[in-house]
């Protein structure tokens, strides 16, 4: 996947997932049964998402698609000082300027980072 596609996904996916949830809050969107495990997918409760924080993160993510991609697959890196200060100092600077976003991302990473679909999905 090229950088432009990842950038567009980093911006559009969180916003695209949040927008329909306003109209469908609490509605079951689908169910998956795997053996004795049933997973029910419900529309997200978007009332607690700060859209300003989301926009600020989306702007950073579009400028740093590799970082956004890595955090999508391993959101625990949000709390790794070695990752944010040594490997990606620009992310460390972003989190220093926006500690509230780091805290919100650590608490609910799915509101900010999403795994992009793989080709053919």
């Amino acid at each position: 996947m090229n950088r432009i596609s990842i950038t567009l996904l980093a911006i559009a996916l969180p916003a695209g997932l949040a927008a329909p949830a306003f109209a469908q809050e609490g509605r079951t969107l689908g169910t998956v049964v795997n053996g004795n495990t049933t997973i029910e997918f419900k529309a997200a409760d978007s009332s607690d998402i700060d859209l300003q924080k989301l926009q600020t993160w989306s702007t950073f993510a579009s400028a740093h698609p590799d970082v956004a991609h890595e955090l999508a697959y391993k959101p625990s890196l949000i709390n790794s000082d070695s990752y944010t200060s040594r490997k990606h100092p620009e992310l460390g600077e972003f989190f220093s300027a926006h500690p509230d976003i780091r805290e919100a991302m650590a608490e609910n990473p799915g509101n900010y980072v999403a795994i992009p679909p793989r080709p053919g999905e």
Side-chain angles (χ1 to χ4, degrees):
M1 200 177 259
N2 64 28
R3 289 184 184 262
I4 295 172
S5 297
I6 292 172
T7 301
L8 291 175
L9 280 172
I11 294 170
L13 192 58
L17 292 174
F22 287 116
Q24 302 176 1
E25 201 166 296
R27 183 172 153 231
T28 299
L29 302 175
T31 304
V32 174
V33 178
N34 185 4
N36 64 355
T37 302
T38 302
I39 301 171
E40 185 175 356
F41 294 92
K42 292 192 172 217
D45 176 10
S46 58
S47 64
D48 64 343
I49 297 175
D50 184 332
L51 295 179
Q52 182 60 44
K53 288 179 187 174
L54 181 60
Q55 179 59 46
T56 302
W57 167 252
S58 293
T59 301
F60 176 85
S62 66
H64 303 89
D66 293 339
V67 173
H69 183 78
E70 288 177 20
L71 290 176
Y73 283 94
K74 194 168 182 186
S76 62
L77 293 173
I78 293 165
N79 293 319
S80 170
D81 289 332
S82 64
Y83 179 79
T84 60
S85 62
R86 285 185 238 147
K87 187 167 181 186
H88 293 287
E90 67 279 10
L91 180 62
E93 291 171 16
F94 175 82
F95 283 153
S96 291
H98 305 283
D100 55 330
I101 294 176
R102 184 180 198 167
E103 183 180 312
M105 288 178 74
E107 188 175 317
N108 293 302
N111 289 347
Y112 294 88
V113 293
I115 297 174
R118 295 171 196 223
E121 289 184 340

